[in-house]
Amino acid sequence: MAAENFEDQAKKKRTSLVGEFYGFLRDNKKWWLAPVIVSVLGLGALIFLAGTGAAPFIYTLF
C-alpha cells in the first residue's frame, strides 16, 4: 500500500517554490509570514538595484 502511494506521488506534477510556500501558509494558517517575506524580498530588491545603474532613480524615491 505504501509503495503505491509513493508511486502515485512521484507521478504528480511538481509545484514551484511559490506554490509550496502558498500551500504551507494555507495548511498551517501562518498568514502573518506573508508580509514578512514580501518585505524582506522588497528590501533585497532595493539593495540589489542600489548597486546597478538604477541607483539614481531609487534614491529619488527617498
Side-chain angles (χ1 to χ4, degrees):
M1 178 84 173
E4 292 176 8
N5 189 17
F6 180 76
E7 290 173 0
D8 291 339
Q9 289 183 2
K11 292 177 184 176
K12 288 183 181 178
K13 184 179 176 186
R14 295 181 62 184
T15 57
S16 66
L17 181 64
V18 175
E20 285 283 333
F21 184 66
Y22 176 72
F24 171 76
L25 292 178
R26 187 185 63 224
D27 294 340
N28 294 314
K29 307 285 192 265
K30 304 278 186 189
W31 292 110
W32 59 271
L33 277 176
V36 173
I37 298 298
V38 169
S39 299
V40 168
L41 289 175
L43 284 173
L46 281 176
I47 291 170
F48 174 75
L49 290 174
T52 65
F57 301 108
I58 293 173
Y59 294 140
T60 59
L61 295 176
F62 301 103

